[in-house]
């Protein structure tokens, strides 16, 4: 079978090389479950929404075929493009005639809507034809174009809908004529097109797409984005990218921009781009990342906050930010080979990202807080997951990542293979075929069997997550079973002449642990959280003893953590709960919520935590990740 490449395929300079979509077969675990519900529930819902939300009808109007007003936001086209990308990757994984049929139909509408000069944006063509490219600060015209390019690249690689690529290239050529060779120095207020242009360059070899991506990145921070009332940090226009030390402003914009920056480095070798992106990554991880891997501390402007400003209840942690973070970290991993990026991908996927979708795949979170009160009045976004949104950036974004997850599991070099994420199944690269048996993340044992041995000396690298306190490896060819320390770059490596049937058993430490926040995160100072392996836990009201409110719980630092596996928790499915001794504090109510007296009585109780990604599947009650210490 011809190799199908995934969403990001650097042509030069990558230390690690992505492997083909069919070279990773996922047979179980969370990734398989997410892909099953994506296939059975989310994608059918998304395809239906492309009519109902106005995405396709708007484009028909742009083609002069429909009646009625434009529906939704100015970036409504991007919902369709992300949906098309999702079904392209899904088609590569599990072909379906309906995906090809939908793609063909959508491509035909796009072709008819596209202007002869290549421009394509239903909002501006229908509502504001005289304003094209005059309000780039918030128009999302290039943002939408970027999503079209990514959809077209996915469709071309997946062999579905060959008609999309010519539409995308006409638009890209048009952008080149206007913004690269035409003298227009404008940049889009919402970064996205940069990473997409680089991928379109990788697919087509058309160098002007890469040059335009580089110019758009170089032009950021020169004050070229007109005032939107949101300030120049909002769209990362406060400083040139090489001078900015910390991620700022709208989180998704910053994170998409970083993908583009690393992509341009990977193709041009401009080290100053990689260097500035890594510098911001280090600051992001040190002071602006939630325990769940989520990003964005402010609802206002969907933005990063100050360093250590990480409130659990007001966390924005948009689902799209988790996705954008995975994209960026994947490119940094390819560029450097360092396991810290795969570690963050794992944390993000299993927590902030996984929580975005309900157990049945039919409802989604836009924001992913680490605490919810049960008496919400002011902020509907903090309510329960919803089927769809007026601003529906997240659901089709979730679908495209889930459909392409196989692309993020492993990489290859000329003389080896690197396993970054642990999923049961099979992986092939460089003449080797490996079978992976594991019940991860519920169990920490990962057995890798060499089903086909590569020729000559060959290196297998297994990621050892930073959270694994004591890790063991058993090697079948020596009978040796020993503790391993994590290597500097986060991988346990074995280089040798392999024989068929040899196995390595890696045992990661899934002992549940109490996690404490940095003292400067004032919002959770004096609190602790529970984690096990890659999973962050939370305490939901549902599941606590009768009469105990989750907001009244306190934990003791030395409390034992007891693991309880449950085959099928109602509404949730399979899980591993963690029980601990806690206290429920009773405080008098009424009057000012302050007192000079010590806290009132407390009762010993058994509190139960559930993996964060499984919350909000039972009822709409209170939830906390961080619990005050007694
Ligand atoms: Zn979103």
């Amino acid at each position: 079978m011809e190799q199908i490449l995934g969403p990001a395929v650097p042509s030069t300079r990558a230390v690690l090389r992505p492997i083909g979509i069919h070279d990773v077969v996922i047979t179980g675990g969370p990734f398989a479950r997410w892909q099953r519900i994506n296939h059975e529930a989310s994608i059918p819902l998304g395809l239906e929404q492309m009519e109902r939300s106005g995405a396709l009808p708007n484009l028909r109007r742009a083609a002069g075929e429909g009646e009625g007003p434009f529906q939704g936001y100015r970036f409504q086209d991007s919902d369709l493009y992300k949906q098309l990308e999702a079904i392209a990757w899904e088609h590569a994984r599990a072909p379906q005639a309906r995906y090809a049929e939908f793609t063909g139909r959508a491509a035909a509408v796009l072709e008819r809507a596209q202007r002869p000069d290549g421009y394509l944006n239903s909002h501006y063509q229908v509502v504001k034809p005289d304003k094209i490219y005059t309000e780039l600060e918030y128009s999302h015209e290039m943002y939408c174009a970027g999503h079209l390019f990514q959809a077209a690249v996915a469709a071309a690689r997946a062999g579905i809908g060959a008609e999309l690529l010519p539409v995308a290239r006409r638009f890209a050529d048009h952008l080149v004529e206007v913004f690269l060779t035409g003298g227009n120095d404008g940049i889009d207020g919402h970064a996205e097109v940069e990473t997409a242009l680089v991928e379109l360059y990788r697919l087509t070899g058309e160098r002007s797409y890469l040059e335009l991506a580089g110019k758009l990145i170089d032009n950021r921070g020169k004050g070229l984005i007109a005032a939107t009332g949101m300030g120049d940090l909002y769209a990362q226009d406060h400083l040139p990218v090489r001078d900015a030390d910390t991620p700022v402003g709208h989180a998704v914009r910053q994170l998409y921009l970083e993908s583009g920056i690393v992509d341009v480095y990977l193709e041009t070798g401009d080290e100053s781009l990689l260097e500035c992106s890594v510098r911001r990554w280090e600051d992001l991880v040190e002071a602006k990342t939630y325990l769940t891997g989520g990003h964005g501390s402010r609802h206002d402007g969907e933005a990063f906050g100050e360093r250590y400003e990480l409130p659990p209840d007001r966390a924005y942690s948009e689902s799209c930010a988790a996705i954008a973070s995975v994209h960026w970290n994947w490119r940094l991993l390819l560029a450097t080979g360092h396991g810290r990026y795969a570690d963050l991908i794992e944390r993000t996927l299993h927590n902030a990202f996984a929580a975005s979708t309900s157990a049945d795949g039919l409802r989604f979170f836009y924001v992913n807080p680490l605490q919810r009160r049960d008496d919400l009045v002011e902020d509907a976004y903090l309510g329960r997951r919803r089927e769809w949104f007026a601003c529906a950036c997240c659901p089709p974004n979730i679908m495209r990542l889930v459909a392409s997850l196989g692309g993020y599991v492993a990489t290859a070099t000329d003389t080896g293979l690197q396993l970054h994420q642990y999923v049961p199944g099979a992986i092939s690269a460089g003449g080797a075929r490996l079978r992976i048996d594991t019940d991860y993340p519920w169990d920490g044992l990962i057995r890798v069997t060499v089903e086909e041995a590569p020729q000559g000396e060959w290196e297998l690298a297994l990621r050892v997550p930073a959270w694994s306190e004591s890790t063991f490896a058993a090697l079948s060819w020596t009978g040796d079973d020993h503790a391993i320390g994590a290597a500097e770059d986060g991988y346990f490596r074995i280089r040798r002449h392999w024989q068929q049937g040899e196995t390595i058993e890696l045992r990661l430490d899934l002992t549940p642990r109490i996690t404490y926040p940095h003292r400067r995160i004032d919002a959770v100072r004096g609190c602790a959280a529970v984690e096990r392996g890659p999973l962050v836990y939370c305490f939901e009201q549902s599941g606590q003893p009768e009469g105990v409110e989750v907001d009244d719980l306190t934990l003791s630092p030395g409390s034992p953590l007891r693991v309880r596996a449950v085959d099928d928790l109602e509404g949730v499915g399979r899980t591993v709960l963690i029980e601990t001794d806690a206290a429920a504090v009773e405080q008098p109510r009424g009057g000012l919520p302050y007192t000079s007296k010590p806290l009132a009585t407390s009762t010993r109780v058994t509190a139960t935590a559930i993996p964060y990604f499984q919350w909000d599947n039972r009822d709409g009650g209170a939830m906390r990740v961080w619990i005050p210490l007694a």
Side-chain angles (χ1 to χ4, degrees):
M1 190 184 297
E2 200 192 335
Q3 192 182 48
I4 295 179
L5 295 167
V9 186
S11 41
T12 55
R13 274 177 206 85
V15 172
L16 307 178
R17 214 170 46 229
I19 59 180
I21 291 223
H22 289 144
D23 297 331
V24 176
V25 179
I26 302 172
T27 54
F31 286 20
R33 191 175 56 76
W34 303 343
Q35 292 192 325
R36 181 176 56 76
I37 59 176
N38 200 37
H39 182 84
E40 291 173 1
S42 309
I43 288 178
L45 170 71
L47 292 178
E48 196 185 302
Q49 284 291 346
M50 291 306 101
E51 289 292 342
R52 207 188 303 161
S53 70
L56 269 167
N58 287 340
L59 283 154
R60 284 194 206 101
R61 263 160 228 143
E65 296 165 7
E67 296 289 314
F70 180 89
Q71 294 180 61
Y73 286 91
R74 64 188 71 222
F75 45 82
Q76 208 78 353
D77 293 356
S78 63
D79 293 354
L80 174 69
Y81 300 148
K82 280 184 264 189
Q83 196 65 51
L84 286 168
E85 186 185 340
I87 60 174
W89 298 129
E90 186 59 12
H91 188 77
R93 208 184 64 78
Q96 291 252 323
R98 63 185 168 134
Y99 298 148
E101 188 273 328
F102 183 90
T103 303
R105 208 153 37 86
V109 175
L110 291 166
E111 242 176 70
R112 297 197 298 273
Q114 186 166 39
R115 289 194 331 195
D117 67 357
Y119 182 84
L120 178 55
N121 182 290
S122 69
H123 180 78
Y124 281 87
Q125 288 171 257
V126 171
V127 181
K128 291 176 156 183
D130 55 327
K131 295 285 184 196
I132 286 172
Y133 297 148
T134 65
E135 41 192 35
L136 288 171
E137 63 277 16
Y138 52 77
S139 75
H140 290 74
E141 287 158 289
M142 284 194 253
Y143 165 89
C144 289
H147 280 298
L148 169 62
F149 303 162
Q150 289 173 327
V153 168
R157 289 193 178 138
I160 182 178
E163 314 89 314
L164 266 183
L165 189 59
V167 175
R169 290 202 63 169
R170 278 196 293 275
F171 199 174
D173 292 341
H174 171 72
L175 291 180
V176 165
E177 277 163 31
V178 175
F179 294 99
L180 182 67
T181 55
N184 188 329
D185 282 331
I187 47 177
D188 197 284
H190 197 314
E192 212 287 329
V193 76
E194 300 81 0
T195 184
L197 278 165
V198 177
E199 209 58 43
L200 195 60
Y201 156 71
R202 288 169 178 157
L203 180 79
T204 63
E206 175 50 57
R207 198 159 176 92
S208 61
Y209 303 157
L210 173 64
E211 287 166 10
L212 177 57
K215 181 185 175 189
L216 295 173
I217 286 169
D218 288 345
N219 270 354
R220 211 160 272 273
K222 294 181 178 171
L224 293 169
I225 297 179
T228 59
M230 302 295 285
D232 57 5
L233 272 71
Y234 178 70
Q236 297 79 41
D237 197 32
H238 61 306
L239 282 172
V241 299
R242 290 172 183 81
D243 299 337
D245 290 330
T246 187
V248 295
H250 189 272
V252 177
R253 292 170 199 234
Q254 175 84 61
L255 294 165
Y256 280 156
L257 177 63
E258 300 289 1
S259 279
I261 289 170
V262 181
D263 275 329
V264 172
Y265 155 73
L266 281 165
E267 301 306 322
T268 65
D270 181 345
E271 296 276 347
S272 66
L273 289 174
L274 179 64
E275 190 272 325
C276 72
S277 196
V278 168
R279 188 168 74 233
R280 283 186 295 276
W281 186 91
E282 287 173 350
D283 193 65
L284 175 82
V285 168
E286 188 180 314
K288 297 186 177 181
T289 299
Y290 281 101
L291 184 63
T292 54
H295 292 123
S297 310
R298 294 183 181 177
H299 287 232
D300 189 16
E302 305 185 312
F304 291 108
E306 300 297 345
R307 302 183 87 238
Y308 300 110
E309 179 188 332
L310 292 163
D313 50 349
R314 301 295 299 162
Y316 203 66
S317 185
E318 183 179 338
S319 302
C320 287
I323 294 159
S325 170
V326 170
H327 290 171
W328 178 27
N329 278 278
W330 180 247
R331 286 159 177 79
L332 286 170
L333 178 63
L334 297 178
T336 67
H338 202 295
R340 63 184 185 171
Y341 305 114
D343 270 13
L344 186 56
I345 288 175
E346 173 176 71
R347 178 173 292 278
T348 308
L349 282 178
H350 284 282
N351 299 288
F353 176 72
S356 68
T357 306
S358 61
D360 62 8
L362 289 170
R363 288 172 297 117
F364 309 93
F365 275 135
Y366 192 113
V367 308
N368 296 275
L370 284 76
Q371 177 183 358
R372 181 170 70 190
R373 300 170 207 285
D374 62 3
D375 49 2
L376 291 173
V377 176
E378 298 274 357
D379 201 327
Y381 263 148
L382 291 177
R384 308 203 63 186
R385 291 187 190 90
R386 299 192 214 165
E387 187 180 294
W388 209 253
F389 302 84
C391 171
C393 52
C394 301
N397 214 358
I398 293 164
M399 295 174 212
R400 71 178 178 139
L401 181 61
V402 170
S404 59
L405 271 178
Y408 297 89
V409 170
T411 52
T413 57
D414 288 342
T415 55
L417 188 144
Q418 304 77 39
L419 262 178
H420 307 293
Q421 306 300 330
Y422 294 119
V423 292
I427 297 173
S428 310
R433 194 174 71 240
L434 307 176
R435 194 180 76 238
I436 320 294
D437 295 297
T438 184
D439 193 18
Y440 194 76
W442 305 124
D443 187 87
L445 172 66
I446 298 131
R447 181 184 297 111
V448 181
T449 305
V450 178
E451 289 198 323
E452 259 177 54
Q455 296 293 319
E457 208 179 49
W458 196 77
E459 184 184 83
L460 179 60
L462 305 174
R463 184 175 60 91
V464 179
W467 49 256
S468 185
E469 285 281 329
S470 63
T471 306
F472 289 83
L475 314 176
S476 69
W477 58 94
T478 60
D480 183 27
D481 189 351
H482 63 284
I484 53 171
E488 177 87 329
D489 67 353
Y491 292 85
F492 171 57
R493 297 170 186 279
I494 299 175
R495 176 177 281 276
R496 64 191 302 271
H497 289 271
W498 297 83
Q499 305 297 321
Q500 190 182 348
E502 289 175 340
T503 62
I504 301 176
E505 286 189 359
L506 187 72
R507 295 200 303 285
L508 301 176
D509 186 356
L510 290 199
T511 310
R513 55 194 192 272
I514 295 272
T515 301
Y516 305 96
H518 191 287
R519 278 183 51 77
R520 290 191 184 183
I521 309 176
D522 295 272
V524 291
R525 185 182 291 187
C527 293
V530 174
E531 293 183 277
R532 180 175 184 259
L535 301 180
V536 173
Y537 275 68
C538 68
F539 293 80
E540 273 198 291
Q541 185 57 50
S542 204
Q544 306 310 327
E546 186 78 21
V548 173
E549 292 197 31
V550 83
D551 281 323
D552 294 336
L553 286 176
T554 62
L555 289 182
S556 301
S559 292
L561 300 169
R562 297 178 292 272
V563 169
R564 182 156 66 89
V566 182
D567 284 343
D568 190 10
L569 186 64
E570 197 180 344
V572 172
R574 185 183 172 194
T575 190
V576 170
L577 303 174
I578 295 177
E579 294 176 344
T580 185
D581 302 329
V585 177
E586 265 180 65
Q587 280 194 271
R589 290 186 178 171
L592 283 169
Y594 313 99
T595 176
S596 44
K597 298 187 180 66
L599 288 184
T601 53
S602 64
T603 325
R604 305 302 306 174
V605 298
T606 297
T608 302
I610 186 169
Y612 172 75
F613 82 86
Q614 294 180 316
W615 85 285
D616 196 55
N617 279 300
R618 290 177 287 183
D619 59 28
M623 179 279 288
R624 300 181 68 107
V625 168
W626 294 104
I627 302 286
L629 290 164

